């Protein structure tokens, strides 16, 4: 079946199978910043924005995205650059496999709750697991990023 | 120092955050053949027949590989120095399957979908065998996990498959029994640790193609590209010169990628078909069919005299390597060699036992590498002994633990799979670590606990050590060249897997060359382009590869000075170089002008230096870990309020990244201590084999981490550095167990420590009293 | 998961008809848990074009369309005021925000997940479910009866009560399924529901009846209520917790919940 998705503000048409998930369709079409982690909504690595809201692309059927807007980190390069600088300054990036999904989720947190405190940051991002950093440096980076934006 | 010991952001963080292609699967050829493995539903079985005719006939199926397609070349998947101290007990595919998830056959097709369809059509008939599932009963079990005769060890590691032994070890200093008998206080306790999973977020991934020189080129998410190249060459009989292994960015390893996983099948398929191929493990495969931490049973006896001096340690350890013996002996030995020297004033110490085969998912390398298992047992046992002696556990440690300039005879006796190397502790700031940690956790205010009504708050602690590479075995090397316009390329075999080694090694080179990190362009781990390095393991990179980088950069500096001396017509030792300019009396030349001149106009040549390093010793980092835990009195639910780590890792080349290593390791250690339960069905199937059922700590579970480094300078390390990659993981299990004891007077001796276990123990004690 | 065909229906009748045509036809709501619950689907029926994503309120109640995402329910101001926001509190502890953007209230009910943190809360809120064919029924009727799964939930309705409430999820890590969850409301009378037993959530009707007969909720009464609850609950063991430990949790948190709601 054909679906039409507006990815990073460009209209795209993809041929998809009814059982295909958005993650596979995106990777197949060279959106390689969207990555596979756990296959079952548990880790957050495959996060994309669906109509500006973070969703796990590993569990969103591609056909359900038909007619919607999808944002990957390629669609928020400026913001990701900024967030990257904050992560870098706090030593909050290690393996980085989850970082594009982290950028998308932090960006969406900024849209929803720009004044989020540490507890709210943790609650918003709890679905984004990290096995490397122990989280502390990430929270420092995100707090500073949000603080400097508002 | 201008660069080293500064908080430098990682050299690659921005590009990765912005989603640039970086990881193995990002570089897979678009039309790669997909390889899927049909995995065993049985814990132990012999394949009787495989009916794959209708699957082979499917449109899009390229080939189906079974054990009949491979020559029987036994090898080990463990990525270790050669000859490996792990038994060669694995075949690419075998007619026996030895655990639920073991490889039965491989389906190669044009898409995931078609491979899945083919797998559904394949009929395999098994002779189901009785499995060995209880590792305490594995030794001399009537069932042999490896009945075949064509497997072997590379040198004596105690390999005895006819007794289900992958390896065994025995060492004794002094007469342990005699010393224990003479002690006023003795204790004997048994501890159990579980098969922790690595849960790196990037699954095991590999892809291959044949390049235009007709060579096999692999991209692999691995910690050991050079070992991968060697093992593939040996097992598949492909000349080493025909193989190139490129390690792109790796999405976490923690030891889990210190072995061959999909590489063998991908290499074979592409080599045979000439077509690109790839494999990405599903998360289920990562859990079920890669490998785990070695579960262990540790029986510890301690004896002390009336003054509280520890006199003897006896450790009888049984380790479960699962179906294959990757890292079997070496992990086992580290459970002793990187734990026992903490208490170096004993008169006698013994460490012995076996590593057995079972029909479980294999065990392998995992951050801590035995030390966390040994640490949990010994540091729990020490607190048990202190309780019996009514002695303050910190006072006991201060009295008995390793101090600077001291040594332990264990260093000379126990290496990793071989004899060790004698060494003195030129740096050991354990005393500072303990006293600073005690302050930071407010030990004296809380110990043993504070009763808050519904809640009870307690503290617990443990000390730990690790190593810095494997002495006389681990080799790292670096090549550095000067470019026109005055910047450098640094080529290292050292394997960046997210720990920050590219950044740290760039910092070392930049410091030597008095430049900034952005002038050092690092490229790591490509068997064609970078010099040899054993890879990212054994906490070796900063120390071993860092020393190699230091030497190479120093050599290049000396080459540059020699050329400038020619220009200035002076002695090279009389030239000042500040990183940007060379000076001699009233003469000066900028690095940029010099580099352009030597590239294009005058006595042109490429200045490049290559250097290597093998450590004559492995200076251990040390740390003290302290935890404050709040318990619910009724339900025993636990909250870790603060984890204090005070670490001696020598100079921190990058204090921010070093802290990240410790923080991350502490949280992994807390996961092992409290959450990460491994459950098998009675038939040996892993129940906790996905991320819905295997729970790693989330950001809401981590309240506060307090991480500090003590001043320390290790002469043998680059700019005074030791290692920091693993040390952080060792203390949480014992510290938490000790905090439970300090709260409730209850001792939990198996991991993970859950609220339910605490209550069960409490009920058990109450019932005994009745 | 294997899907033969994906059908976006134009009206609810068509959906109902397709759904009942073949046992292997399946409705998709958010789809977050779909691949975990079904293997083989003939027609996957999407309700995305039926405008079932809404929250409407009047003086007495809140009506939530079945395809409204959990996150929208959680963040809704009116929902947040019902019994001190017990539903929002419960939803906010489910997995991460991104799942809650995908998962829907209807899917969470129709999945009949025994680990659900939402069903116990809907039980104490006495939520009404509206099915296309069968019409109205309470959530309690739904979960205690069988064979209703081939109907289509279109919306749910919750009364705007302003009582006291208590919700507690007990889990190993913040992202894990509950070992047990406890929902209690009090607006003159008590309602108590326990979920993740690990079997299906249930209302503690005997305990509620006992409590609702009492004039004074003393510590003694609370203790008695807890023992009644333990007799009527169907606690058992699974990989997350044993029956014995669940009993401790039920005892502790029913007691604490009752103390809190009568404060």
């Amino acid at each position: 079946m054909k679906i039409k998705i507006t990815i990073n503000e460009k209209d795209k048409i993809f041929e998809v199978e009814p059982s295909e998930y958005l993650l596979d369709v995106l990777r197949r079409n060279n959106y390689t910043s969207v990555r596979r982690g756990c296959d079952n909504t548990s880790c957050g690595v495959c996060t994309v924005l669906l109509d500006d809201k973070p969703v796990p692309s590993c569990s969103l059927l591609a056909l359900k995205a038909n007619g919607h807007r999808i944002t990957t980190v390629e669609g928020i390069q400026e913001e990701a650059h900024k967030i990257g600088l904050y992560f870098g300054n706090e030593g909050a990036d290690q393996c980085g496999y989850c970082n594009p999904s982290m950028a998308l989720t932090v960006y969406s947190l900024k849209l929803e709750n720009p004044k989020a405190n540490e507890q709210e940051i943790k609650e918003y991002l709890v679905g984004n697991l990290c096995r490397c950093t122990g989280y502390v440096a990430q929270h420092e980076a995100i707090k500073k990023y949000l603080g400097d934006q508002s | 120092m201008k660069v080293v010991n500064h908080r430098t952001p990682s050299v690659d963080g921005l590009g990765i955050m912005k989603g640039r292609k970086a990881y193995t699967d990002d570089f897979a050829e678009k039309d790669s053949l997909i390889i899927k493995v049909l995995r065993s539903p049985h814990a132990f079985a012999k394949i009787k027949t495989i009916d794959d005719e209708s699957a082979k006939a499917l449109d899009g199926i390229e080939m189906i590989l079974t054990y009949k397609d491979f020559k029987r070349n036994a090898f080990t998947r463990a990525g270790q120095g050669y000859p490996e101290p792990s038994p060669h007990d694995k075949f690419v595919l075998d007619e026996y399957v030895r655990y639920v998830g073991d490889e039965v056959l491989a389906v190669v097709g044009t898409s995931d979908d078609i491979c899945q369809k083919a797998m559904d059509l394949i009929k395999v008939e098994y002779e189901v065998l009785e499995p060995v599932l209880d590792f305490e009963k594995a030794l001399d079990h009537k069932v042999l996990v490896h009945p075949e005769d064509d497997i072997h060890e590379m040198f004596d590691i105690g390999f005895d498959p006819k007794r289900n032994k992958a390896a065994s070890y025995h060492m004794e200093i002094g007469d342990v029994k005699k010393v224990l008998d003479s002690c006023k206080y003795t204790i004997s306790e048994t501890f159990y640790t579980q098969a922790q999973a690595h849960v790196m977020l990037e699954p095991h991934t590999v892809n291959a193609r044949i390049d235009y020189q007709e060579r096999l080129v692999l991209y692999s998410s691995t910690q050991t590209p050079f070992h991968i190249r060697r093992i593939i060459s040996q097992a598949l009989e492909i000349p080493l010169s025909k193989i190139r292994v490129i390690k792109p960015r790796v999405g976490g390893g923690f030891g889990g990628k210190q072995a061959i996983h999909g590489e063998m099948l991908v290499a074979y398929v592409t080599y045979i078909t000439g077509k690109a191929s790839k494999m990405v493990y599903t998360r289920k495969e990562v859990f079920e069919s890669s490998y785990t931490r070695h579960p262990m049973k540790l029986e510890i006896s301690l004896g002390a005299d009336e003054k509280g001096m520890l006199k003897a340690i006896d450790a009888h350890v049984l380790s479960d390597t699962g179906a294959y013996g990757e890292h079997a002996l070496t992990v086992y030995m580290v459970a002793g060699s990187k734990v026992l020297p903490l208490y170096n004033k004993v008169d006698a110490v013994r460490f012995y036992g076996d590593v057995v085969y079972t029909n479980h998912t294999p065990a392998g390398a995992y951050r801590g590498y035995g030390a966390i298992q040994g640490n949990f047992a010994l540091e729990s046992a020490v607190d048990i002994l202190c309780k019996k002696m009514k002695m303050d556990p910190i006072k006991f440690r201060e009295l008995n633990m390793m101090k600077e300039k001291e040594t332990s005879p264990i260093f000379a006796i126990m290496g990793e799979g071989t004899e060790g190397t004698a060494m003195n502790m030129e740096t050991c700031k354990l005393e500072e670590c303990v006293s600073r940690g005690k302050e930071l956790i407010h030990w004296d205010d809380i110990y043993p606990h504070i009763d808050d009504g519904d809640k009870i708050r307690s503290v617990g602690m443990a000390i730990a050590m690790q190593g810095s590479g494997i002495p006389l075995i681990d080799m790292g090397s670096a090549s550095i060249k000067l470019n026109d316009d005055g910047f450098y390329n640094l080529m290292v075999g050292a394997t960046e897997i997210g720990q920050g080694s590219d950044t740290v090694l760039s910092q070392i080179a930049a410091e030597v060359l008095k430049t900034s990190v952005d002038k050092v362009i690092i490229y790591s781990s490509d068997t064609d382009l970078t010099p040899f390095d054993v890879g990212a393991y054994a906490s070796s990179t900063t120390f071993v590869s860092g020393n190699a980088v230091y030497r190479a950069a120093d050599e290049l500096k000396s080459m540059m000075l020699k050329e400038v001396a020619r220009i200035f017509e002076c002695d090279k030792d009389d030239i000042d170089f500040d990183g940007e300019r060379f000076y001699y009396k009233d003469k000066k030349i900028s690095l940029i002008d010099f580099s352009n001149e030597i590239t294009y106009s005058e006595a042109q040549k490429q200045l490049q230096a290559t250097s290597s390093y093998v450590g004559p010793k492995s200076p251990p980092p040390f740390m003290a870990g302290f935890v404050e835990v709040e318990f619910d009195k009724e339900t025993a639910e636990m909250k870790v309020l603060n984890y204090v780590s005070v670490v001696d890792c020598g100079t921190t080349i990058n204090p921010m990244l070093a802290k990240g290593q410790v923080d991350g390791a502490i949280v992994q250690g807390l996961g092992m201590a409290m959450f990460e339960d491994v459950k098998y069905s009675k038939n040996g199937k892993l129940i906790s084999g996905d991320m819905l059922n295997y729970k790693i700590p989330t950001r809401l579970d981590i309240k506060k981490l307090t991480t500090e480094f003590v001043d320390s300078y290790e002469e043998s390390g680059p700019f005074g550095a030791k290692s920091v990659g693993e040390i952080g993981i060792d203390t949480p299990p014992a510290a938490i167990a000790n905090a439970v004891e300090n709260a409730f007077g209850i001792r939990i001796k198996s991991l993970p420590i859950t609220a339910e276990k605490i209550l069960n123990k409490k009920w058990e004690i109450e019932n005994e009293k009745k | 998961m294997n899907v033969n065909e994906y059908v976006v229906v134009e009206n609810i009748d068509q959906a109902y008809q397709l759904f009942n045509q073949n046992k292997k036809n399946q409705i998709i709501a958010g789809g977050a848990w779909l691949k975990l619950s079904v293997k083989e689907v003939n027609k996957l029926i999407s309700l995305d074009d039926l405008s079932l994503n809404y929250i409407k309120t009047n003086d007495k109640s809140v009506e939530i369309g079945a395809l409204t995402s959990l996150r929208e329910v959680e963040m809704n101001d009116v929902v947040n005021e019902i019994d001190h926001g017990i539903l929002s509190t419960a939803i906010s502890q489910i997995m991460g925000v991104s799942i809650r953007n995908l998962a829907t209230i209807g899917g969470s009910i129709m999945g009949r997940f025994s680990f659900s943190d939402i069903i116990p809360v809907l039980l104490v809120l006495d939520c009404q479910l509206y099915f296309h064919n069968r019409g109205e029924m309470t959530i309690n009727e739904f979960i205690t009866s069988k064979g209703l799964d081939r109907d289509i939930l279109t919306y749910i309705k919750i009364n705007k009560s302003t009582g006291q409430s208590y919700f507690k999820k007990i889990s190993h890590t913040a992202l894990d399924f509950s070992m047990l969850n406890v929902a209690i409301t009090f607006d003159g009378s008590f309602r108590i529901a326990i979920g993740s037993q690990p079997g299906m959530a249930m209302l503690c009707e005997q305990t509620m009846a006992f409590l609702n007969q009492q004039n004074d909720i003393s510590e003694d009464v609370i203790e008695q209520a807890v023992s009644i609850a333990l007799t009527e609950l169907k606690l058992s063991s699974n990989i997350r917790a044993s029956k014995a430990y669940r009993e401790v949790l039920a005892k502790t948190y029913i007691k604490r919940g009752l103390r809190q709601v009568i404060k």
Side-chain angles (χ1 to χ4, degrees), chain B residues 469-482:
Chain B
I470 308 168
L472 304 179
I473 291 178
D474 283 352
M475 188 268 274
S477 41
S479 228
I480 186 161
K481 71 179 169 86
L482 173 71

Side-chain angles (χ1 to χ4, degrees), chain B residues 38-180:
Chain B
L38 182 74
R39 297 191 177 276
S40 171
H42 305 294
F44 196 20
K46 192 173 179 187
I47 299 167
K48 280 165 78 179
T49 59
I50 296 172
D51 175 2
D52 57 4
E53 287 310 310
S54 44
K56 269 183 178 156
L58 277 182
D59 207 19
I61 290 298
E62 177 85 19
M63 53 175 24
I64 290 171
L65 297 169
T66 72
Y67 66 92
K68 291 177 183 153
D69 294 294
F70 294 92
K71 199 169 155 188
R72 277 181 78 81
N73 277 341
F75 63 96
T76 176
R77 292 179 295 186
Q80 297 178 291
Y82 186 78
E84 303 98 334
S86 294
H88 283 208
D89 59 5
K90 179 80 178 77
F91 301 92
V92 182
L93 292 171
D94 194 1
E95 63 177 328
Y96 282 95
V97 282
R98 295 186 177 78
Y99 65 96
V100 177
D102 203 354
E103 297 140 331
V104 177
L105 54 81
V107 175
V108 186
T110 49
S111 72
D112 262 355
D113 219 34
I114 195 74
C115 290
Q116 190 55 54
K117 284 203 176 92
M119 291 209 286
D120 293 344
L121 288 173
I122 295 171
K123 291 191 185 71
V124 182
E125 206 186 325
Y126 298 95
E127 180 190 344
V128 178
L129 305 169
E130 180 193 333
V132 181
L133 296 175
D134 180 348
F135 79 113
E136 294 187 58
K137 293 181 182 148
L139 193 64
D140 296 324
H141 196 285
K142 65 178 197 297
V143 175
L144 294 183
V145 177
H146 284 277
E148 68 276 20
D149 288 321
D150 46 357
I151 54 176
H152 60 273
E153 59 193 334
M154 300 300 280
F155 51 88
D156 182 16
I157 57 168
F159 175 65
D160 189 356
K162 301 299 177 211
R163 298 185 62 199
N164 278 334
K165 258 204 247 186
S168 65
Y169 183 75
H170 187 284
M171 80 92 186
E172 183 167 3
I173 297 168
D175 186 335
V176 166
K177 201 179 166 301
K178 207 167 129 194
V179 178
L180 277 175

Side-chain angles (χ1 to χ4, degrees), chain B residues 394 433-448 450 457-462 624-630 639-646 704-708 735-736 739 742:
Chain B
I394 290 186
C433 293
V434 169
S435 65
R436 179 65 181 145
K438 198 177 154 187
E439 246 170 64
L440 287 168
I441 203 83
H442 304 291
W443 183 273
D444 291 333
D445 300 336
I446 305 173
Y447 178 78
I450 293 176
R457 259 186 310 137
S458 72
V459 282
M461 65 88 68
F626 292 78
V627 67
E628 181 185 355
V629 192
E630 182 187 82
K639 243 187 235 164
V640 172
L641 300 180
N642 189 10
Y643 203 100
V644 170
S645 311
V646 186
K704 188 177 175 193
L705 304 178
T706 308
T707 302
E708 285 191 4
I736 294 279
N742 292 337

Side-chain angles (χ1 to χ4, degrees), chain B residues 223-224 467-470 474-478 492-506 508 522 524-525 533-550 613 618 653 661 717-718 721-726:
Chain B
Q223 295 174 229
T224 54
S468 298
I470 308 168
D474 283 352
M475 188 268 274
S477 41
V492 292
T495 309
E496 166 73 77
I497 57 168
Q499 82 281 47
S501 66
D502 279 355
T503 304
V504 163
L505 297 177
S506 301
I508 291 171
I522 189 163
S524 60
S525 296
D533 190 294
V534 287
Y537 60 84
S539 291
S540 60
T541 304
T542 301
F543 184 78
V544 175
S545 313
N547 266 321
V549 168
Y550 184 99
Y613 182 83
S618 170
I653 302 291
Q661 284 301 297
K722 298 190 275 187
S723 81
V724 73
E726 295 180 274

Side-chain angles (χ1 to χ4, degrees), chain C residues 3 7 9 39 44 46 57 77 82 120 182 189 197 208 232 243 251-252 262:
Chain C
V3 180
V7 189
V9 294
K39 280 241 155 74
L44 194 56
S46 164
T57 58
D77 290 340
I82 299 172
V182 177
S189 67
Q197 304 193 67
M208 285 154 49
E232 69 176 323
K243 181 180 178 193
K251 235 188 254 181
T252 307
I262 59 169

Side-chain angles (χ1 to χ4, degrees), chain B residues 479-620:
Chain B
S479 228
I480 186 161
K481 71 179 169 86
L482 173 71
N483 296 296
D484 47 333
D485 210 32
F487 73 101
Y488 309 92
N489 283 113
L490 173 61
M491 280 78 67
V492 292
T495 309
E496 166 73 77
I497 57 168
Q499 82 281 47
S501 66
D502 279 355
T503 304
V504 163
L505 297 177
S506 301
Q507 282 179 269
I508 291 171
E511 186 69 48
V512 173
L513 294 162
K514 301 184 173 179
T515 185
S516 52
V517 168
D518 61 319
K519 292 280 192 289
V520 179
I521 311 303
I522 189 163
Y523 181 69
S524 60
S525 296
D526 176 330
T527 56
D528 271 7
L529 303 183
T530 64
F532 184 88
D533 190 294
V534 287
Y537 60 84
S539 291
S540 60
T541 304
T542 301
F543 184 78
V544 175
S545 313
N547 266 321
V549 168
Y550 184 99
R551 288 180 176 188
D554 204 45
E555 210 174 300
L556 178 68
K557 193 166 80 181
S558 176
M559 287 174 164
M560 295 179 345
L561 290 173
K562 201 175 139 203
E563 294 300 326
V564 175
R566 174 182 52 75
I567 298 167
F568 286 172
E569 296 175 334
C570 69
D571 194 286
K572 86 180 185 27
D573 296 336
D574 295 332
I575 298 168
D576 284 325
F577 175 53
D578 66 4
E580 287 180 17
R581 281 184 186 75
F582 299 91
Y583 305 88
Y584 171 68
K585 293 188 175 165
D586 56 346
K587 294 178 182 171
K588 63 177 176 186
I589 184 170
S590 73
L591 174 64
I592 294 176
D593 288 346
F594 164 69
S595 65
N596 288 339
E597 185 180 312
I598 200 152
T599 308
Y600 293 113
S601 44
E602 184 76 35
Q604 295 96 313
K605 65 174 69 155
Q606 175 66 59
L607 296 184
Q608 171 159 1
T610 298
S611 200
S612 305
Y613 182 83
V614 183
K617 57 180 190 169
S618 170

